[in-house]
């Protein structure tokens, strides 16, 4: 029963008690006017039992008088009434104990209607006591990649930081006309957006196997035609063509992605973020009824071009959220992208997962993922996880609500992990100190283990991973306490190096055998992250490829569902001069219809013939030109210095 219903019931009981009191008062007045002694005794008897039944009235003072009055009415009734009074008293005490027990247990029972105030207080306490404990117990049982709907909204995090009034302002007080839009979790329809109409994207269920559901996005015929026009706009290399295309198709995904990159390059972050949110809304409106964002059992194959745009939109939205100051919301989107294909991880979200966990202080989440995935994914071989997990243990050891024994254990764990990370990836120390503007000790900088040779001798893939971690996470180390902790462990590592610890040789062999070439998803992540320290380490076969913002480094085994039709008359042998002239002015020029193509081809042939005749005439004219020497007259009177 709700609190409102209980309060209503309480009011009704109070009103009924008032009516009963008035009724009893009227009866007393009538009995007094009659002056009947027998009726007066009966009235007192009834009032005695009524008083015994009340919870708030003490009747111990009237037991003797009651017995005397009853003895006048019937012989032997006094003892019976005394026994009855005692029984009622014991029942009353039991009833009070029962009410107290029910109030403590918080049971929703209508039998405690006489004490609704206590029950309401108990109900309020019950609501406010165990939310945190229930949340903690539920989070322990949930999968590590569990996604919460409320955390997908950045306003939830901003309200926690700044309050509801600072985030919403006067929006709650404004009476706006009611608009009917689909309820979405990831983004909300904005009034500044064009009117939404389905662009032609849908989602279908491919298969369901072992509790895992595989979905894919599909494009209808109209959307495919818009996609072909988009490819023409990309080849034209003119951003205005994307604007024109979006005016006609305001929710075309690839056009929104490409134009968002253009706005971001022009430092228009607000427009770039708005375009990504519009694409995200378009995708969410096309979800399959069975598709779930939070279950973690829904998969999307990155090899299908229709699905790639969804990955890219989520990644760019996550990046904007992190820059906006919402790392907790960005972490939730990182979980979502990773849950769509955790085995292949096409965007390599593991390279940013640790950074977002440290930003929003979700240390236990990072440690839990590391412990659960280390066996089959070897996360310790990634520089970001090696350093970040050690950093998480250090931050947990600095908490004030832990015992000294636990503090010591966490500190020792963090020291061991950090030393192992420095031994496994020695080339990360000097770039990290450089970006943190910290001058290393002469003993450290001159040592061979951390010197320039440690960076030069790294394999290419390892250099890329180290540069990515240092360029992204160096700001997390800009604390005085962290630098002292790092300095302490660096000195311990140098002692282990000088004592020829066997762990050093093991790490050296791993560096030589592994990290020879990075997989394609790591290159794709580096390109999309746009961290200059990591981009400079990309191999030539990646940097020389034409990069498209709507599909960076597509997979080599793409599953193509529809093919763009080939352009007609692309060769010079089948294309006239007039067509070539138009194509030089308009790269998207294409002939339409066989009759038009024949006429243009005929005109082109005639123009070619005329040009050939003109070229032959010019060649003959140039061949027949004869140069004659000028004849000078013998003029002795000419001034020879005239031309000087």
């Amino acid at each position: 029963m709700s609190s409102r219903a209980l309060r209503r019931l309480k009011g009704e009981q109070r009103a009924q008690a008032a009516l009963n009191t008035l009724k009893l008062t009227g009866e007393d007045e009538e009995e007094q006017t009659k002056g009947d002694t027998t009726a007066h005794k009966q009235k007192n008897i009834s009032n005695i039992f009524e008083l015994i039944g009340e919870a708030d009235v003490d009747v111990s003072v009237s037991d003797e008088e009651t017995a005397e009055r009853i003895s006048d009415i019937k012989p032997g009734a006094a003892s019976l009434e005394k026994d009855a009074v005692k029984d009622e008293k014991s029942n009353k005490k039991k009833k009070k104990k029962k009410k107290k027990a029910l109030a403590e247990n918080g049971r929703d029972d209508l039998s405690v209607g006489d004490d609704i105030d206590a029950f309401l207080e108990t109900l309020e306490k019950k609501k406010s006591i165990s939310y945190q404990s229930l949340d903690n117990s539920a989070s322990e049982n949930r999968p590590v990649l569990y996604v919460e709907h409320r955390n997908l909204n950045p306003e939830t995090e901003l309200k926690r930081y700044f309050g509801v009034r600072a985030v919403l302002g006067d929006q709650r007080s404004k009476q706006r006309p009611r608009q009917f839009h689909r309820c979405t979790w990831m983004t909300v329809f904005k009034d500044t957006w064009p009117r939404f109409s389905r662009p032609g994207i849908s989602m279908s269920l491919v298969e369901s196997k072992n509790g895992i559901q595989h979905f894919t996005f599909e494009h209808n015929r109209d959307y495919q035609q818009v996609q072909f026009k988009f490819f023409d706009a990309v080849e034209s290399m003119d951003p205005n063509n994307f604007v024109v295309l979006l005016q006609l198709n305001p929710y075309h995904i690839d056009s929104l992605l490409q134009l968002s990159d253009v706005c971001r390059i022009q430092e228009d972050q607000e427009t770039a973020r708005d375009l990504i949110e519009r694409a995200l809304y378009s995708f969410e409106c096309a979800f399959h009824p069975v598709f779930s964002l939070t279950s973690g059992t829904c998969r999307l194959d990155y090899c299908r071009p229709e699905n790639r745009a969804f990955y890219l939109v989520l990644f760019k939205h996550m990046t904007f959220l992190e820059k906006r100051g919402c790392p907790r919301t960005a972490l939730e989107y990182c979980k979502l992208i990773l849950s769509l294909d955790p085995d292949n991880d096409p965007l390599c979200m593991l390279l940013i997962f640790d950074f977002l966990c440290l930003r929003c202080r979700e240390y236990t989440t990072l440690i839990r993922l590391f412990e659960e995935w280390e066996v089959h994914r070897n996360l310790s071989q990634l520089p970001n996880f090696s350093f970040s997990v050690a950093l998480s243990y250090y931050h947990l050891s600095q908490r004030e609500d832990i015992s000294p024994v636990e503090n010591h254990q966490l500190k020792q764990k963090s020291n061991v992990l950090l030393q192992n990370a420095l031994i496994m990836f020695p080339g990360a120390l000097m770039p990290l100190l450089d970006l943190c503007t910290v001058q290393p000790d002469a003993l450290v900088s001159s040592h061979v283990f951390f010197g320039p040779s440690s960076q030069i001798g790294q394999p290419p893939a390892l250099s890329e991973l180290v540069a990515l971690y240092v360029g992204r996470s160096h700001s997390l180390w800009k604390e005085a306490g962290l630098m002292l902790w790092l300095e302490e462990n660096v000195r311990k590592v140098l002692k282990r190096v000088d004592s020829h610890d066997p762990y050093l040789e093991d790490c050296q062999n791993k560096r030589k055998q592994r990290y020879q070439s990075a997989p394609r998803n790591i290159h794709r992540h580096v390109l999309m992250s746009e961290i200059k320290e990591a981009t400079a380490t990309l191999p030539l076969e990646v940097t020389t490829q034409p990069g498209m913002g709507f599909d960076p480094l597509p997979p080599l085994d793409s599953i193509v569902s529809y093919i763009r039709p080939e352009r007609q008359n692309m060769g010079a042998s089948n294309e006239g001069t007039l067509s070539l002239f138009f194509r030089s002015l308009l790269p998207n020029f294409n002939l339409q219809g066989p009759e038009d193509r024949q006429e243009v081809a005929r005109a082109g042939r005639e123009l070619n013939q005329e040009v050939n005749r003109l070229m032959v005439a010019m060649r003959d004219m140039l061949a027949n030109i004869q140069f004659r020497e000028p004849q000078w007259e013998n003029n002795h009177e000419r001034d020879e210095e005239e031309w000087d």
Side-chain angles (χ1 to χ4, degrees):
M1 183 179 292
S2 63
S3 302
R4 184 177 180 182
L6 289 173
R7 292 189 179 93
R8 185 181 298 173
L9 179 60
K10 177 184 174 183
E12 293 177 358
Q13 290 181 353
R14 288 179 177 175
Q16 187 65 30
L19 291 175
N20 293 336
T21 304
L22 293 175
K23 184 177 179 180
L24 291 174
T25 305
E27 290 179 355
D28 291 341
E29 292 177 356
E30 291 179 359
E31 293 297 332
Q32 289 177 1
T33 56
K34 290 180 181 179
D36 190 357
T37 306
T38 306
H40 181 71
K41 291 180 179 180
Q42 292 178 354
K43 180 180 74 65
N44 289 336
I45 293 172
S46 63
N47 287 338
I48 288 172
F49 285 100
E50 288 176 1
L51 291 174
I52 291 174
E54 289 294 327
D56 299 332
V57 181
D58 190 5
V59 297
S60 61
V61 296
S62 59
D63 292 342
E64 296 180 356
E65 296 178 359
T66 303
E68 293 177 356
R69 292 178 182 179
I70 294 177
S71 63
D72 295 337
I73 299 174
K74 186 175 181 180
S79 61
L80 295 175
E81 292 300 331
K82 288 181 180 179
D83 295 337
V85 170
K86 292 180 180 179
D87 293 339
E88 293 297 333
K89 287 182 178 180
S90 62
N91 292 335
K92 172 187 172 183
K93 293 180 180 179
K94 293 179 181 180
K95 187 175 180 181
K96 288 184 177 180
K97 292 180 179 179
K98 183 178 180 181
K99 291 178 183 178
K100 186 177 180 180
L102 290 174
E104 291 177 356
N105 295 332
R107 297 176 182 175
D108 191 4
D109 193 354
L110 293 178
S111 63
V112 296
D114 296 335
D115 197 7
I116 297 179
D117 287 330
F119 184 77
L120 289 176
E121 293 178 2
T122 306
L123 186 63
E124 294 297 332
K125 292 179 181 179
K126 181 181 177 182
K127 288 182 178 179
S128 60
I129 285 175
S130 59
Y131 276 132
Q132 186 174 1
S133 62
L134 289 176
D135 191 18
N136 294 334
S137 61
S139 61
E140 292 178 358
N141 298 326
R142 292 170 180 171
V144 67
L145 296 181
Y146 179 80
V147 178
E148 297 185 15
H149 279 140
R150 59 173 182 164
N151 291 332
L152 292 174
N153 188 0
E155 290 186 357
T156 304
E157 187 173 3
L158 293 176
K159 290 175 185 177
R160 187 164 60 249
Y161 293 154
F162 307 106
V164 179
R165 187 180 299 275
V167 176
L168 298 181
D170 299 333
Q171 294 181 6
R172 294 181 298 174
S173 60
K174 293 181 179 179
Q175 298 293 334
R176 293 181 297 177
R178 186 177 181 182
Q179 298 181 358
F180 297 93
H181 296 291
R182 180 172 178 175
C183 181
T184 53
W185 290 107
M186 295 187 291
T187 185
V188 182
F189 186 87
K190 297 182 180 180
D191 298 334
T192 57
W193 291 354
R195 181 179 179 182
F196 180 76
S197 60
R198 295 191 177 277
I201 302 179
S202 61
M203 178 184 280
S204 62
L205 178 62
V206 178
E207 63 176 354
S208 181
K209 185 187 300 182
N210 298 328
I212 303 297
Q213 298 170 337
H214 296 266
F215 295 88
T216 183
F217 287 98
E218 294 180 348
H219 299 167
N220 62 8
R221 189 180 299 273
D222 295 336
Y223 194 90
Q224 293 177 13
Q225 297 299 324
V226 179
Q227 193 74 3
F228 299 152
K229 295 179 181 179
F230 168 76
F231 292 146
D232 295 338
V234 171
E235 294 178 357
S236 67
M237 304 298 291
D238 188 0
N240 295 323
N241 293 334
F242 301 122
V243 178
V244 175
L245 187 60
L246 282 176
Q247 290 177 352
L248 301 176
N249 307 276
Y251 290 92
H252 181 253
I253 304 298
D254 289 341
S255 299
L256 292 171
L257 278 170
Q258 198 71 22
L259 190 59
S260 176
D261 288 343
V262 174
C263 295
R264 182 175 52 81
I265 293 173
Q266 296 177 355
E267 297 183 356
D268 190 357
Q269 302 293 332
E270 188 68 25
T271 305
R273 185 172 68 243
D274 185 76
L275 293 173
I276 294 298
E277 292 178 357
R278 194 197 303 182
L280 197 62
Y281 180 81
S282 180
F283 268 124
E284 194 167 2
C285 290
F287 281 172
H288 192 274
V290 187
F291 184 79
S292 174
L293 296 172
T294 61
S295 64
T297 59
C298 299
R299 302 288 184 265
L300 284 174
D301 191 359
Y302 193 81
C303 293
R304 297 180 180 272
E306 296 86 354
N307 297 338
R308 293 176 204 162
F310 185 59
Y311 279 90
L312 300 178
V313 168
L314 290 176
F315 188 91
K316 293 180 182 295
H317 187 59
M318 178 195 68
T319 305
F320 282 123
L321 288 173
E322 191 273 326
K323 293 180 179 178
R324 190 181 175 186
C326 300
R328 182 66 184 86
T329 311
L331 176 62
E332 211 70 14
Y333 278 95
C334 182
K335 292 180 182 179
L336 175 58
I337 299 173
L338 189 56
S339 66
L340 294 176
D341 194 356
D343 297 331
N344 299 319
D345 194 9
L347 298 185
C348 210
M349 302 307 298
L350 290 176
L351 296 179
I352 196 176
F353 188 91
D354 62 304
F355 171 72
L356 296 176
C357 286
L358 293 175
R359 278 288 311 275
C360 61
R361 300 176 182 178
E362 291 287 335
Y363 309 123
T364 56
T365 303
L366 177 60
I367 295 173
R368 183 184 173 189
L369 179 72
F370 177 77
E371 293 177 351
E372 293 181 4
W373 288 30
E374 170 63 18
V375 178
H376 64 282
R377 298 295 289 270
N378 291 327
L379 297 183
S380 60
Q381 303 304 308
L382 296 175
N384 57 316
F385 266 91
S386 295
F387 285 96
S388 297
V389 173
L391 198 57
S392 298
Y393 276 108
Y394 175 80
H395 284 297
L396 290 177
S397 67
Q398 301 301 311
R399 291 166 49 184
E400 298 179 355
D401 56 345
I402 59 176
S403 62
V405 177
E406 188 177 1
N407 184 3
H408 179 71
Q409 293 176 354
L410 292 174
K411 190 65 179 296
Q412 289 295 114
K413 184 71 173 179
S414 63
N415 291 336
V416 172
L417 290 175
L418 181 59
Q419 293 175 24
N420 293 340
L422 290 171
I423 293 175
M424 184 65 191
F425 309 104
L429 178 62
M430 300 307 293
L432 179 62
L433 296 178
D434 188 16
L435 290 178
C436 293
T437 63
V438 174
Q439 184 66 28
D441 191 0
L443 178 63
V444 177
S445 58
S446 60
H447 201 280
V448 180
F449 189 74
F450 291 115
S453 59
S454 62
Q455 303 178 35
I456 298 174
Q458 290 182 147
L462 182 58
S463 300
E464 185 176 351
L465 291 173
V466 169
L468 179 66
Y469 169 72
V470 173
R472 171 177 285 155
S473 303
H474 67 275
S475 59
L476 301 175
W477 292 86
K478 291 184 177 181
E479 295 182 12
L482 288 177
M483 281 298 161
L484 293 176
W485 174 60
L486 179 62
E487 181 182 1
E488 177 186 354
N489 285 277
V490 166
R491 295 183 180 275
K492 292 181 180 179
V493 168
L494 292 179
K495 293 180 180 179
R496 294 175 61 180
V497 172
D498 296 337
S499 61
H500 302 285
D501 193 331
Y503 185 69
L504 276 75
E505 186 178 358
D506 184 22
C507 293
Q508 186 177 2
N509 294 331
K510 290 181 179 179
R511 287 196 299 269
K512 291 180 179 179
Q513 295 174 2
R514 305 172 183 177
Y515 312 108
Q516 295 302 320
S517 60
R520 198 172 181 85
N521 59 343
I522 293 181
H523 297 327
R524 189 182 297 118
H525 180 90
V526 172
L527 285 175
M528 296 180 63
S529 300
E530 296 182 349
I531 298 176
K532 59 181 182 179
E533 290 84 3
T535 307
T537 60
L538 287 172
L540 292 177
E541 58 268 16
V542 176
T543 56
T544 54
Q545 292 184 9
M548 297 296 177
F550 66 93
D551 192 8
L553 285 182
L556 301 178
D557 54 348
S558 298
I559 303 174
V560 181
S561 57
Y562 61 92
I563 302 176
R564 179 186 180 189
E566 297 181 358
R567 287 185 173 183
Q568 301 293 332
N569 300 324
M570 291 296 293
S573 59
N574 297 329
E575 197 168 32
T577 306
L578 185 60
S579 178
L580 291 174
F581 173 72
F582 285 137
R583 189 174 299 282
S584 65
L585 297 178
L586 302 173
N588 299 328
F589 173 75
N590 196 2
L591 301 177
Q592 301 292 334
E595 296 181 357
D596 296 339
R597 288 197 297 268
Q598 292 178 1
E599 293 179 0
V600 174
R602 187 182 306 108
R605 286 194 295 271
E606 294 178 357
L607 183 60
N608 285 335
Q609 293 176 1
E610 295 295 334
V611 172
N612 290 333
R613 295 192 188 98
L614 181 60
M615 294 297 294
V616 171
M618 292 180 64
R619 192 179 298 110
D620 295 340
M621 182 182 65
L622 293 175
N624 296 328
I625 292 178
Q626 297 180 0
F627 295 95
R628 298 180 180 179
E629 296 181 0
Q631 297 180 358
W632 298 98
E633 296 180 356
N634 295 327
N635 188 1
H636 301 283
E637 297 179 357
R638 183 175 63 88
D639 189 1
E640 295 181 357
E641 297 181 357
E642 182 178 359
W643 301 100
D644 293 341

